[in-house]
Amino acid sequence: MSTGGHLARVPAWLERHALTLAAIATGVILLVMLYLPVAVVFVESILDGGSATLSAFVDVLTDPFYVGALAEVFADPLGIVGHLDALVGWLVAISVSVTVVTIPGLGIPIPWLSVETPGVRMGLFGFTAYQAGLSTLASLALGLPAAYVLATYEFWGRRTIRSLTILPFVLPGILVAVGFYATFGQGGTINAILGVVGLGPYPFIEWNPLAIVIVAHAFYNAPLVARVTVAAWESVDVRSVETARSLGASRRRAFFDVVLPQLWPAILTGALLTFIFTFMTFPIVLALGGLQLATVEVWIYDRVQRLDFQTAATLAVLETIISLGLTYAYLRYESAQSGLSRAASAPPRRPLFPSLRVALAPKRLAVVCYGLLAVVVFVFPLASLVVGSVTDGSGVTLRHYRFLLDRQLEGQTFQTLPVPAIRNSLVFGLATLVVAVPMGVVISVLTTRTGRGGTVVDALAMLPLAVSGIVFGIGLLQGLVFGISLPGGWRLQVTGTVAIVAAHAVAAYPFVTRTVSPLLANLDPAMVESARSLGASRYRALRDVELPLVASGIVAGAAFAFAISIGEFSSTVILASGTDSYTMPVAVERYLGRRSGPALAMGTVLLFVTAASFVVIDRVGGRFER
Amino acid sequence: MRRRTFVGSLTGATVAGFAGCLSRDDDDSNGDDSSDDAELAGDPESGTLTIATYDSMIDGNDPAGPWLTEAFEAAFPDATLEWTAPDSGLNHYIQLEEQDASMEADLYLGANIDDLARIDDALGDGGLFRELDADRLDRADRIRDGLDMGDPHDRVLAFDTGYISLVYDETVVDEPETFDDLLDPAFEDALIAQNAQTSDPGQAFLLWTIDAYGEDGYLEYWDDLDENGVRILDSWSDSYYGAYMEEERPMIVSYSTDQVFASAEGNDLSRHQIAFLEGQGYANPEGMGVFERASNPALAYTFMDFVLSNDAQAEIAQRNVQFPAVADEYVDLDDEFDQYAHEPPEAVTVGYEQLRGNLDEWVDDWARERAGH
C-alpha cells in the first residue's frame, strides 16, 4: 500500500478512536493533576511515622470541638441506650413560646414565635453545614427569580446581564469583603442612603455577621444558580408546554407539571454546588464574620500553617466524604430523571415592560422589587470597589491607576506587572476552556447511561469540587512542585504554564460535566442508535447528533470553565511562584501590601477585563445555542 | 510572542507527555555544605544571590526590594540579585528541607522570632539556617540592643522592626492606657483584633496579652475581652480596609507607624491615634538568615552587611514603614517619618525560649475558645 493510502487512513483512524483517545488524555490529566496530589495529602491522614493508623480520625471524631454532640456517639458507638436517653432528655427540654420583639431602630413591635432548645453543640462540622445550608437557601432565593426573569422576559440588556451573571465568581475574597463593608458597613452606601431619610446609621455587619456572610455567599453563588437554571430553562421543550396548555392546563399548572420537572435537575445542581462551595468556604467567613464563624476549612488552613499535615489531611478527608456523599446522592437522583426527550426550542420571551399598564401589574412590580434587591446585593459591592479604586482619603484620584501604569513601564523582572497578569489570565482562561470542555464532555458521555457504576465514576469525577482548594494546593506543592521520587533516582516534577492550565482544567471540567450531563441523559437514545446503525462512529454520533442538541449546556459549561480559570487562586499562586505566569487575582493579592488602593485598581481591571470577556464568550457561544 | 512560546510549550509537553518533567535527583545539591564555615564558600562580590521574602517586600506600593537590587548591583557590579516570594512563606522552605528537595534560595529576608521556633519544632534545633558569624559583618554591632532576636543558634540578624499597638479614633473613644481599660464599658464593642491563626499582628497581640497575663491568665483575659465585645477578623488588611476604615468600630490592633500611611493618604489623623497599652508596644523584629544549603554564602554575607548600611536602613524603614534595626546615629530618616512613626516607651517581645514548643498550643487554645460553636 502506498504512503498516501496510509496518510489518508490516519484521519479515519483518529475519528474512530477519537473518543478513546480523548478519554485516555482525560485520564492522564486527572491522574497526574488530581488523583496524585490528592492522594499525596490524603495518605498523610493515615500515616504516622511511617506506619498506618486511624488514630487521627479517632481523635477528630471524638472531639466535641469538631463534631459537637456527635463526639459522644463516635466515642461509644454501641451505647445506643445512653444516646437515646440523651436525645429524649433534649427533646423534652424544648419549649415554644410567643414573645413580642421590636424591630431595632423602627420601634415596631411584632409577635415572634420563639423555640427554646437546650442547645446542641454543633461543632465545627455542624456549624459549617449549618451556614452552608442557610447560604444555599439564600442563593436559591436570590438566584431563581433571576433565572425566571432572564428566561421569560425580553428587555434591553438582558443578554449582557445574563453574560455577567458569572462575574462575581472570579473575584478574590478580599475584594468582596471590602466591597461588602463599603456597602453594608456603618459608613457604607446603604447607611448613606438611609441617612438621607433620617435613619441610621446601623451596624448591619455587627448586628448579625452570619446574615451578612450568608448574603456574601449568595453574592458568589446565586449567579451560579441563576446561570445553571437559565441554561436549562432555555432548553425546555416549548411544544410540551403547548401540548399541556391545549389539553386545558392553566399556565400555572403547565409550569408546575411540565416546566418545573425539567428544571429540577438544574436547580438541584445549583443548590449542590452552592452547598459544597459554601461548606468549604474560607476567606469570606473570616473577613466578614471573624473567628466566631470559623469553618472546617479555616481549621484545615490553620493546621497546614502549623505544619500539622496529619490533622489537616484528616479534616480534609472527612470534608471530602461529605461533599462526595452529597454529590453521589444527587447523581442518583439525576440519573433517575432521564426519559424526557426534549428538543432545544426555547420558550418565547415576553417583553418586560410592553406598556405602562402592564408594568404596574403585580408580577411586573415584583420583578422591579427583585431588581432593586439585586442592585443592593450585586451592584453595590462591585460599584464600591470601583469607587474605592478612584478615591483616597482626600477625594477622587487616579494615582492608584498610575501605580499600575508605572509598574508596567518601570517594573523589574521579579515584580508583578499588570499587562502580563491580564494576558496570562486570558490565555490560561482560553486554554482551560479548550482543555476542560472536551474533558467534561468525555466524562459526561462515559458516565451517562451506565447505571449505578456510572454514577460512582461520575461522583469520583466530581472530586475537584469536593476537595478543598487549600488541600489541592498542598498536594500540588508536595506532589508536583517539590516532585515525587521515583525508582532509579528520578524525580517527577510538573510546574509552569502547562501545569497551571491543567490544574485549571481539572478544577473546571466538573462544571462542563454538570451542565452537559443532565441534557445528554435526557436525549432520546434512539437518535444516537439510528446514527450508529447508519454507520456513524460513536464520536461522529456525538459530534453531529448529541452535541448540537446539548449546545446550551456546553456553552454554559464553557463560560464556567473560563470563569473558574480566571478566578482560580490557590493552585495558581503555588504553581506560578517564582515564574512569570501569575494571573490577575494573584496580582491583586500581591499588590495589597499596606495600602489597598493599588489592589483595588487591579481588582477593577480584573472586573472589567473579565466582564468584557464574558460578554464576548456569550455572544460567540450564543451562535451555537438554539 | 510570549503567547506563541506558551502555545509552543503546551504542544511540546503534550507531544512529549510528561517525560520532560522527569529529572535526575541532584545528588550534590548540598555541594559545599561540608566545607568549614571558616572558609565561606563562594565569591563575596560576584555571582547570583537569590533572596526569598514575602510579597510586599517586592510587589506592594513602593517596595524595598527593587531599591535594594539597584543599589546593591551598583555597589557590586559583578553581583546579581534575584527575588522569590513563595505563597506559603517560610513554610515552603521548611517543607523543602524536610523533603530534601533542591533549595534555590540563598537568603531569607523577613523571618521573625516565632518563625525560628516553628523551624526548630519542625526540623529540630538550629535547622534551616546557618549559624551566623557576626564578626564577618562590619556593621553587625550597629544593631540596637533588644533586637538580638534571642536565637540560641544565632541564625538571624534583625534588619527592621515594627511595633504592634492600638490605633484609635479620638473623636469616639479616649485613649486606652492599660489592658484592663479595654474591659471597661467605655470600650464596649470598640476593638477590632485579628485572628492569631492567620495574621501576624493578630498573633503578636495575642502574645502581648500572654506577656501581660501569663500563659495561665491570658485565656481568662480574652474571655473578658469577648464579654466586652472584641471583634476578631481574618487579616490585618481585611479588618483595616474593611471594618476599621468603614467606621464600623473606633479602635483596631495595628502598627505604631499607622500615621505614616494615614498622612500620605491625606486621611484625618484624628482617626489614626496611636495608643501604647501599659506604655508598651509589642516588638516584631524581622530578621535575615542564610540558608544552610545556600550556594553562595559569602555573597549573602556581603548583602547582609549592605542591608545594615545607612542608606539601605533608611530606605527599608521608609518603604516597609517599619523602624530601622540600627541605632539612630547610623541612619538618617526623613522628618516626615520621624514625625509620624511612633516608638513605644517600652518594647516587649515573647522570646524564643518561651515560644519554642508552646506557640502552637497557645494559639490553638485561644482559637478553639473563640470559635467554640
Side-chain angles (χ1 to χ4, degrees):
Chain A
M1 196 167 284
S2 73
T3 330
H6 276 297
L7 283 178
R9 279 166 52 185
V10 170
W13 184 88
L14 272 180
E15 189 180 295
R16 237 178 305 125
H17 297 91
L19 213 53
T20 319
L21 291 174
I24 292 172
T26 302
V28 169
I29 294 176
L30 290 184
L31 200 65
V32 176
M33 295 305 297
L34 176 64
Y35 293 112
L36 178 71
V38 169
V40 164
V41 178
F42 281 11
V43 161
E44 306 232 18
S45 70
I46 52 164
L47 275 190
D48 194 11
S51 56
T53 164
L54 286 178
S55 64
F57 283 94
V58 174
D59 288 348
V60 167
L61 290 176
T62 53
D63 187 342
F65 175 76
Y66 291 117
V67 296
L70 285 179
E72 286 174 38
V73 180
F74 286 122
D76 180 18
L78 297 177
I80 296 165
V81 176
H83 300 317
L84 284 179
D85 278 352
L87 181 64
V88 170
W90 185 83
L91 287 173
V92 167
I94 295 177
S95 71
V96 180
S97 61
V98 180
T99 52
V100 175
V101 297
T102 23
I103 301 173
L106 293 176
I108 304 168
I110 49 164
W112 194 262
L113 194 67
S114 72
V115 181
E116 293 273 326
T117 63
V120 177
R121 181 147 192 205
M122 288 195 281
L124 211 51
F125 276 94
F127 174 77
T128 307
Y130 171 69
Q131 64 81 24
L134 292 178
S135 299
T136 306
L137 290 179
S139 302
L140 290 176
L142 263 176
L144 293 179
Y148 166 77
V149 173
L150 288 170
T152 51
Y153 294 110
E154 189 55 72
F155 52 93
W156 184 83
R158 185 191 69 86
R159 291 212 50 168
T160 309
I161 291 181
R162 186 185 180 282
S163 313
L164 296 182
T165 47
I166 209 164
L167 200 54
F169 227 62
V170 304
L171 294 177
I174 169 74
L175 288 179
V176 173
V178 170
F180 263 68
Y181 267 105
T183 305
F184 296 97
Q186 207 154 335
T189 325
I190 304 288
N191 273 317
I193 293 170
L194 290 176
V196 173
V197 292
L199 291 173
Y202 303 112
F204 295 112
I205 301 176
E206 289 263 14
W207 269 348
N208 197 339
L210 180 59
I212 298 293
V213 164
I214 286 164
V215 174
H217 283 164
F219 171 87
Y220 271 115
N221 294 297
L224 176 122
V225 171
R227 199 175 179 87
V228 176
T229 314
V230 168
W233 213 316
E234 287 174 346
S235 63
V236 163
D237 187 356
V238 72
R239 285 169 310 181
S240 57
V241 183
E242 280 161 7
T243 311
R245 296 275 284 144
S246 70
L247 291 173
S250 68
R251 197 178 279 261
R252 179 183 299 255
R253 183 71 187 263
F255 176 79
F256 279 103
D257 290 356
V258 180
V259 179
L260 200 56
Q262 299 190 47
L263 298 184
W264 268 125
I267 296 172
L268 286 177
T269 298
L272 174 81
L273 293 175
T274 305
F275 187 89
I276 290 177
F277 284 146
T278 50
F279 192 80
M280 298 194 296
T281 185
F282 170 48
I284 284 294
V285 286
L286 278 181
L288 293 174
L291 194 50
Q292 53 167 335
L293 301 187
T295 58
V296 174
E297 191 78 348
V298 171
W299 239 256
I300 293 180
Y301 181 74
D302 175 63
R303 292 294 94 194
V304 169
Q305 289 294 98
R306 313 230 160 238
L307 300 168
D308 175 7
F309 290 119
Q310 196 181 23
T311 312
T314 307
L315 292 173
V317 168
L318 293 171
E319 193 183 61
T320 308
I321 288 173
I322 294 172
S323 311
L324 278 184
L326 277 171
T327 310
Y328 177 76
Y330 164 73
L331 292 172
R332 291 300 312 276
Y333 160 82
E334 187 189 276
S335 61
Q337 286 296 299
S338 59
L340 283 162
S341 164
R342 44 171 114 148
S345 53
R349 279 180 285 269
R350 300 187 292 278
L352 187 54
F353 299 119
S355 68
L356 190 63
R357 200 176 56 82
V358 178
L360 291 174
K363 219 179 209 173
R364 300 295 203 278
L365 282 180
V367 170
V368 170
C369 287
Y370 172 77
L372 292 176
L373 183 66
V375 165
V376 170
V377 175
F378 299 107
V379 180
F380 278 14
L382 294 178
S384 304
L385 295 180
V386 179
V387 170
S389 75
V390 292
T391 49
D392 62 9
S394 48
V396 175
T397 174
L398 281 178
R399 68 187 173 96
H400 304 316
Y401 290 93
R402 213 183 62 211
F403 166 89
L404 296 185
L405 193 64
D406 287 348
R407 178 56 58 87
Q408 182 59 41
L409 297 176
E410 291 157 23
Q412 302 201 17
T413 49
F414 54 82
Q415 292 189 299
T416 304
L417 313 181
V419 171
I422 297 170
R423 189 195 54 217
N424 287 340
S425 277
L426 294 177
V427 171
F428 294 162
L430 288 173
T432 300
L433 205 153
V434 169
V435 181
V437 170
M439 280 176 76
V441 171
V442 163
I443 302 233
S444 280
V445 171
L446 293 182
T447 53
T448 41
R449 305 205 184 94
T450 38
R452 185 173 299 198
T455 311
V456 173
V457 174
D458 210 1
L460 283 178
M462 291 299 111
L463 193 63
L465 296 180
V467 177
S468 82
I470 290 166
V471 170
F472 187 48
I474 302 298
L476 286 178
L477 187 68
Q478 297 194 331
L480 301 184
V481 177
F482 292 169
I484 289 186
S485 288
L486 300 176
W490 291 87
R491 193 171 263 272
L492 173 77
Q493 276 180 312
V494 187
T495 51
T497 47
V498 179
I500 292 178
V501 171
H504 286 189
V506 161
Y509 82 85
F511 285 86
V512 181
T513 305
R514 284 280 60 77
T515 48
V516 171
S517 276
L519 301 179
L520 210 51
N522 287 345
L523 284 184
D524 191 345
M527 281 196 283
V528 180
E529 279 153 23
S530 43
R532 297 274 279 151
S533 68
L534 290 171
S537 68
R538 182 68 190 85
Y539 163 72
R540 195 65 188 253
L542 176 69
R543 196 190 70 187
D544 293 349
V545 179
E546 291 169 287
L547 289 190
L549 291 173
V550 299
S552 63
I554 293 178
V555 172
F560 273 126
F562 188 79
I564 294 281
S565 169
I566 297 275
E568 213 287 331
F569 182 74
S570 47
S571 54
T572 313
V573 80
I574 283 167
L575 294 169
S577 169
T579 71
D580 53 3
S581 26
Y582 46 82
T583 58
M584 287 191 280
V586 175
V588 169
E589 301 275 341
R590 287 185 183 167
Y591 288 160
L592 198 55
R594 287 177 72 177
R595 273 197 183 103
S596 67
L600 287 178
M602 190 65 217
T604 305
V605 170
L606 163 69
L607 201 61
F608 282 104
V609 170
T610 18
S613 356
F614 287 138
V615 173
V616 171
I617 286 185
D618 255 20
R619 290 290 150 95
V620 174
R623 284 198 258 130
F624 299 99
E625 287 180 81
R626 242 43 16 232
Chain B
M1 210 285 293
R2 289 249 182 176
R3 184 168 170 158
R4 186 171 298 161
T5 332
F6 166 73
V7 174
S9 63
L10 185 66
T11 7
T14 320
V15 172
F18 286 97
C21 311
L22 287 173
S23 64
R24 277 283 192 180
D25 267 339
D26 193 3
D27 280 332
D28 50 21
S29 59
N30 9 2
D32 302 313
D33 196 30
S34 51
S35 69
D36 192 357
D37 260 313
E39 288 290 320
L40 267 186
D43 185 324
E45 298 202 356
S46 72
T48 300
L49 186 71
T50 305
I51 306 170
T53 186
Y54 45 82
D55 273 350
S56 59
M57 182 70 80
I58 51 181
D59 259 330
N61 205 332
D62 203 14
W67 183 90
L68 285 170
T69 310
E70 274 175 28
F72 186 74
E73 289 177 356
F76 302 94
D78 295 331
T80 308
L81 289 195
E82 279 177 5
W83 296 81
T84 175
D87 182 49
S88 48
L90 203 57
N91 276 353
H92 184 82
Y93 296 98
I94 294 177
Q95 285 173 269
L96 281 179
E97 194 73 23
E98 275 178 334
Q99 309 218 347
D100 208 20
S102 65
M103 180 90 68
E104 296 87 11
D106 298 298
L107 184 118
Y108 194 87
L109 203 60
N112 51 27
I113 300 170
D114 35 282
D115 287 333
L116 295 171
R118 191 151 42 97
I119 291 169
D120 293 353
D121 285 346
L123 299 173
D125 260 21
L128 197 60
F129 296 123
R130 300 169 168 244
E131 185 164 338
L132 294 179
D133 182 0
D135 294 342
R136 286 179 182 277
L137 294 169
D138 296 337
R139 302 180 179 118
D141 51 3
R142 293 180 173 192
I143 296 175
R144 284 185 282 159
D145 295 339
L147 290 187
D148 65 356
M149 301 194 67
D151 179 20
H153 306 283
D154 290 327
R155 285 167 291 182
V156 285
L157 284 174
F159 66 90
D160 72 9
T161 184
Y163 299 98
I164 304 302
S165 68
L166 296 187
V167 170
Y168 68 100
D169 183 343
E170 65 181 358
T171 64
V172 180
V173 288
D174 292 333
E175 179 177 358
E177 286 174 358
T178 64
F179 277 108
D180 281 337
D181 277 357
L182 297 180
L183 308 178
D184 201 85
F187 295 101
E188 191 179 348
D189 295 338
L191 180 64
I192 302 167
Q194 294 87 16
N195 186 350
Q197 293 174 304
T198 48
S199 149
D200 275 349
Q203 181 171 302
F205 186 62
L206 175 67
L207 291 174
W208 192 5
T209 62
I210 292 175
D211 180 74
Y213 292 90
E215 43 178 320
D216 300 323
Y218 81 104
L219 287 175
E220 205 178 311
Y221 176 71
W222 274 92
D223 286 343
D224 294 341
L225 270 184
D226 270 345
E227 284 285 299
N228 212 28
V230 66
R231 190 156 159 68
I232 299 159
L233 296 174
D234 185 20
S235 66
W236 180 84
S237 41
D238 284 342
S239 54
Y240 194 84
Y241 298 126
Y244 189 70
M245 291 306 275
E246 292 299 327
E247 305 189 13
E248 196 87 339
R249 288 189 162 210
M251 197 160 61
I252 187 168
V253 173
S254 188
Y255 298 93
S256 69
T257 42
D258 181 64
Q259 290 186 357
V260 177
F261 278 110
S263 68
E265 301 273 318
N267 293 331
D268 178 5
L269 288 187
S270 61
R271 203 174 162 71
H272 297 271
Q273 294 300 304
I274 311 295
F276 293 116
L277 297 176
E278 321 280 352
Q280 301 171 334
Y282 189 90
N284 216 356
E286 293 192 288
M288 48 189 170
V290 183
F291 285 109
E292 195 81 63
R293 293 196 269 148
S295 55
N296 197 347
L299 186 59
Y301 268 73
T302 311
F303 178 78
M304 288 195 292
D305 215 33
F306 176 80
V307 165
L308 295 174
S309 66
N310 293 26
D311 287 352
Q313 278 293 299
E315 290 290 338
I316 292 173
Q318 279 156 193
R319 289 167 187 261
N320 251 6
V321 198
Q322 303 266 315
F323 290 90
V326 295
D328 289 346
E329 64 259 43
Y330 299 111
V331 60
D332 299 313
L333 296 163
D334 289 352
D335 290 344
E336 182 112 335
F337 188 90
D338 279 336
Q339 184 189 346
Y340 291 121
H342 299 274
E343 221 165 336
E346 183 197 346
V348 292
T349 307
V350 176
Y352 170 91
E353 291 301 334
Q354 287 165 279
L355 290 171
R356 181 74 203 279
N358 290 323
L359 178 64
D360 286 353
E361 205 179 318
W362 288 341
V363 175
D364 201 34
D365 288 347
W366 172 87
R368 277 175 170 247
E369 282 203 21
R370 310 277 88 66
H373 297 298

